[in-house]
Amino acid sequence: PYFTAIKPLYAGSDIVFCNPETSVAGDTYGVSGYPAFNAPSAFARDLVEGAGCNVVSLASNHQNDKGQVVINQSLAVWKQQKLLAYNGMNASADDQNQVAYFSVKGVKVAFVAFADFSNTKLSNSYGVNIYHDTALVQKLMSQAKASADIVIVSAHWGTEDSSVVNADQKKTAQLLADSGATIIIGTGPHVEQPVVWLKSSDGHS
Protein backbone atom coordinates (compact mmCIF):
# COMPACT_ATOMS: atom_id res chain seq x y z
CA PRO A 1 0.00 0.00 0.00
CA TYR A 2 2.87 2.44 0.63
CA PHE A 3 3.66 2.43 -3.09
CA THR A 4 0.11 3.08 -4.34
CA ALA A 5 0.56 6.80 -4.94
CA ILE A 6 3.90 6.54 -6.76
CA LYS A 7 3.50 3.27 -8.63
CA PRO A 8 1.91 4.98 -11.70
CA LEU A 9 5.18 6.94 -12.11
CA TYR A 10 7.16 3.79 -12.87
CA ALA A 11 4.55 1.27 -14.02
CA GLY A 12 5.77 -0.31 -17.23
CA SER A 13 9.41 0.53 -16.63
CA ASP A 14 11.95 -2.13 -17.59
CA ILE A 15 14.07 -1.54 -14.49
CA VAL A 16 12.65 -0.63 -11.08
CA PHE A 17 15.44 -0.09 -8.56
CA CYS A 18 14.73 -0.45 -4.84
CA ASN A 19 16.81 -0.10 -1.69
CA PRO A 20 15.37 -2.10 1.23
CA GLU A 21 17.82 -1.15 3.97
CA THR A 22 17.09 -4.06 6.28
CA SER A 23 17.54 -7.80 6.44
CA VAL A 24 14.46 -9.92 5.71
CA ALA A 25 15.07 -12.87 8.03
CA GLY A 26 12.41 -12.01 10.61
CA ASP A 27 10.49 -15.27 10.12
CA THR A 28 13.52 -17.22 11.31
CA TYR A 29 15.31 -14.81 13.64
CA GLY A 30 12.54 -12.50 14.86
CA VAL A 31 11.11 -9.26 13.52
CA SER A 32 12.71 -6.21 15.11
CA GLY A 33 12.92 -2.44 14.67
CA TYR A 34 15.33 0.30 15.66
CA PRO A 35 18.23 0.11 16.27
CA ALA A 36 18.76 -3.44 14.90
CA PHE A 37 16.29 -4.07 12.11
CA ASN A 38 14.99 -7.38 10.78
CA ALA A 39 11.92 -7.46 8.54
CA PRO A 40 9.69 -10.46 7.81
CA SER A 41 10.32 -12.32 4.56
CA ALA A 42 7.01 -10.95 3.27
CA PHE A 43 8.74 -7.57 2.96
CA ALA A 44 10.96 -8.93 0.18
CA ARG A 45 8.05 -10.74 -1.48
CA ASP A 46 5.82 -7.66 -1.47
CA LEU A 47 8.52 -5.28 -2.69
CA VAL A 48 8.84 -7.54 -5.73
CA GLU A 49 5.27 -8.74 -6.31
CA GLY A 50 3.44 -5.70 -4.99
CA ALA A 51 5.70 -2.71 -5.54
CA GLY A 52 7.35 -4.04 -8.69
CA CYS A 53 11.00 -3.88 -7.62
CA ASN A 54 13.26 -5.94 -9.87
CA VAL A 55 16.78 -4.58 -9.22
CA VAL A 56 17.59 -4.51 -5.51
CA SER A 57 20.52 -3.09 -3.57
CA LEU A 58 21.42 -5.14 -0.51
CA ALA A 59 24.28 -2.87 0.58
CA SER A 60 23.41 -0.62 3.51
CA ASN A 61 24.56 0.22 7.00
CA HIS A 62 21.74 -1.93 8.45
CA GLN A 63 22.12 -5.24 6.59
CA ASN A 64 24.57 -6.54 9.19
CA ASP A 65 22.50 -5.39 12.19
CA LYS A 66 22.08 -8.99 13.33
CA GLY A 67 25.22 -10.57 11.93
CA GLN A 68 26.27 -12.92 9.17
CA VAL A 69 23.77 -15.68 9.98
CA VAL A 70 20.92 -13.25 9.33
CA ILE A 71 22.58 -12.00 6.14
CA ASN A 72 22.73 -15.61 4.96
CA GLN A 73 19.04 -16.18 5.69
CA SER A 74 18.11 -12.89 4.01
CA LEU A 75 19.99 -13.91 0.90
CA ALA A 76 18.06 -17.20 0.86
CA VAL A 77 14.84 -15.17 0.90
CA TRP A 78 15.96 -12.82 -1.89
CA LYS A 79 17.07 -15.75 -4.04
CA GLN A 80 13.45 -16.95 -4.06
CA GLN A 81 12.18 -13.67 -5.55
CA LYS A 82 11.75 -13.00 -9.26
CA LEU A 83 14.40 -10.31 -9.74
CA LEU A 84 16.59 -9.14 -12.56
CA ALA A 85 19.46 -8.60 -10.14
CA TYR A 86 20.50 -8.02 -6.56
CA ASN A 87 23.91 -7.22 -5.12
CA GLY A 88 25.64 -5.81 -2.05
CA MET A 89 25.70 -8.47 0.65
CA ASN A 90 27.21 -11.91 0.48
CA ALA A 91 27.36 -15.34 2.07
CA SER A 92 31.01 -15.91 1.12
CA ALA A 93 34.10 -14.32 -0.36
CA ASP A 94 33.36 -16.06 -3.64
CA ASP A 95 29.89 -14.52 -3.69
CA GLN A 96 31.38 -11.08 -3.11
CA ASN A 97 33.48 -11.39 -6.24
CA GLN A 98 30.38 -11.79 -8.41
CA VAL A 99 28.85 -8.94 -10.40
CA ALA A 100 25.12 -9.22 -11.12
CA TYR A 101 24.17 -9.10 -14.81
CA PHE A 102 20.90 -8.96 -16.72
CA SER A 103 19.70 -7.96 -20.16
CA VAL A 104 16.86 -5.67 -21.18
CA LYS A 105 15.90 -5.25 -24.85
CA GLY A 106 19.27 -6.50 -26.00
CA VAL A 107 21.25 -4.26 -23.64
CA LYS A 108 23.48 -6.05 -21.13
CA VAL A 109 23.50 -4.37 -17.74
CA ALA A 110 25.89 -4.90 -14.82
CA PHE A 111 24.70 -4.07 -11.30
CA VAL A 112 26.95 -3.55 -8.28
CA ALA A 113 26.05 -2.19 -4.83
CA PHE A 114 28.24 -0.70 -2.10
CA ALA A 115 27.72 0.89 1.33
CA ASP A 116 29.74 3.50 3.18
CA PHE A 117 29.86 1.51 6.44
CA SER A 118 28.07 -1.02 8.64
CA ASN A 119 26.44 0.05 11.92
CA THR A 120 27.68 -3.15 13.52
CA LYS A 121 31.14 -4.54 12.98
CA LEU A 122 31.32 -7.10 10.21
CA SER A 123 32.60 -10.50 11.34
CA ASN A 124 34.35 -10.95 8.00
CA SER A 125 35.43 -9.04 4.90
CA TYR A 126 32.60 -10.17 2.65
CA GLY A 127 29.24 -9.76 4.43
CA VAL A 128 28.51 -6.32 2.97
CA ASN A 129 30.29 -4.56 0.10
CA ILE A 130 31.99 -1.49 1.60
CA TYR A 131 33.27 1.04 -0.92
CA HIS A 132 36.22 2.09 1.24
CA ASP A 133 37.67 -1.27 0.22
CA THR A 134 39.02 0.26 -2.98
CA ALA A 135 40.54 -3.03 -4.13
CA LEU A 136 37.05 -4.57 -4.06
CA VAL A 137 35.59 -1.58 -5.92
CA GLN A 138 38.23 -1.78 -8.61
CA LYS A 139 37.87 -5.57 -8.97
CA LEU A 140 34.08 -5.52 -9.34
CA MET A 141 33.98 -2.41 -11.49
CA SER A 142 36.64 -3.77 -13.82
CA GLN A 143 34.61 -6.94 -14.34
CA ALA A 144 31.40 -4.98 -14.83
CA LYS A 145 32.87 -2.51 -17.31
CA ALA A 146 34.45 -5.27 -19.39
CA SER A 147 31.31 -7.41 -19.56
CA ALA A 148 28.35 -5.04 -19.91
CA ASP A 149 27.01 -2.17 -22.01
CA ILE A 150 25.76 -0.25 -18.96
CA VAL A 151 27.05 -0.35 -15.39
CA ILE A 152 24.59 0.66 -12.65
CA VAL A 153 26.10 1.23 -9.21
CA SER A 154 24.14 1.69 -6.00
CA ALA A 155 25.98 3.65 -3.31
CA HIS A 156 24.51 3.82 0.20
CA TRP A 157 26.17 6.94 1.55
CA GLY A 158 25.73 10.54 2.68
CA THR A 159 24.78 12.44 5.80
CA GLU A 160 21.32 11.43 7.03
CA ASP A 161 18.64 14.13 6.71
CA SER A 162 21.00 16.42 4.79
CA SER A 163 20.34 17.59 1.24
CA VAL A 164 24.02 18.56 0.92
CA VAL A 165 26.33 16.14 -0.86
CA ASN A 166 29.36 15.60 1.37
CA ALA A 167 33.04 15.28 0.46
CA ASP A 168 33.06 11.49 0.82
CA GLN A 169 30.19 11.14 -1.64
CA LYS A 170 31.91 13.39 -4.18
CA LYS A 171 35.18 11.49 -3.90
CA THR A 172 33.49 8.09 -4.16
CA ALA A 173 31.24 9.13 -7.04
CA GLN A 174 34.26 10.22 -9.03
CA LEU A 175 36.04 6.95 -8.24
CA LEU A 176 33.02 5.00 -9.44
CA ALA A 177 32.71 7.11 -12.58
CA ASP A 178 36.40 6.69 -13.34
CA SER A 179 35.99 2.94 -12.78
CA GLY A 180 33.27 2.61 -15.42
CA ALA A 181 29.94 3.47 -13.80
CA THR A 182 27.28 4.62 -16.25
CA ILE A 183 24.68 5.46 -13.59
CA ILE A 184 25.24 5.92 -9.86
CA ILE A 185 22.15 5.72 -7.67
CA GLY A 186 22.71 7.23 -4.24
CA THR A 187 20.72 6.08 -1.22
CA GLY A 188 21.02 6.66 2.51
CA PRO A 189 20.31 10.29 3.49
CA HIS A 190 16.47 9.78 3.57
CA VAL A 191 16.02 13.11 1.79
CA GLU A 192 16.56 14.23 -1.80
CA GLN A 193 20.00 15.35 -2.91
CA PRO A 194 21.06 16.95 -6.23
CA VAL A 195 21.61 14.99 -9.44
CA VAL A 196 24.82 15.82 -11.31
CA TRP A 197 26.72 14.75 -14.42
CA LEU A 198 30.28 13.57 -13.81
CA LYS A 199 33.08 13.39 -16.35
CA SER A 200 35.12 10.22 -16.01
CA SER A 201 38.85 9.90 -16.55
CA ASP A 202 38.23 8.29 -19.95
CA GLY A 203 35.91 11.09 -21.01
CA HIS A 204 32.47 9.52 -20.70
CA SER A 205 29.65 11.25 -18.86
Side-chain angles (χ1 to χ4, degrees), residues 72-150:
N72 294 347
Q73 179 60 30
S74 292
L75 286 167
V77 171
W78 283 111
K79 286 177 182 177
Q80 295 173 0
Q81 311 310 314
K82 294 180 180 177
L83 293 168
L84 293 175
Y86 61 87
N87 193 263
M89 68 179 186
N90 314 283
S92 68
D94 286 342
D95 287 348
Q96 188 177 48
N97 289 325
Q98 304 301 313
V99 174
Y101 298 100
F102 60 95
S103 293
V104 174
K105 296 177 179 175
V107 178
K108 187 174 182 181
V109 182
F111 176 62
V112 189
F114 299 99
D116 180 4
F117 63 93
S118 172
N119 283 11
T120 54
K121 185 177 180 180
L122 292 163
S123 60
N124 52 61
S125 61
Y126 58 78
V128 178
N129 294 349
I130 303 297
Y131 62 69
H132 297 287
D133 181 350
T134 55
L136 174 66
V137 171
Q138 290 167 354
K139 179 191 298 182
L140 294 180
M141 292 300 295
S142 177
Q143 292 178 32
K145 182 180 179 181
S147 304
D149 303 305
I150 293 174

Side-chain angles (χ1 to χ4, degrees), residues 62-74:
H62 283 296
Q63 292 290 2
N64 188 57
D65 278 357
K66 299 216 164 191
Q68 186 64 44
V69 66
V70 172
I71 286 177
N72 294 347
Q73 179 60 30
S74 292

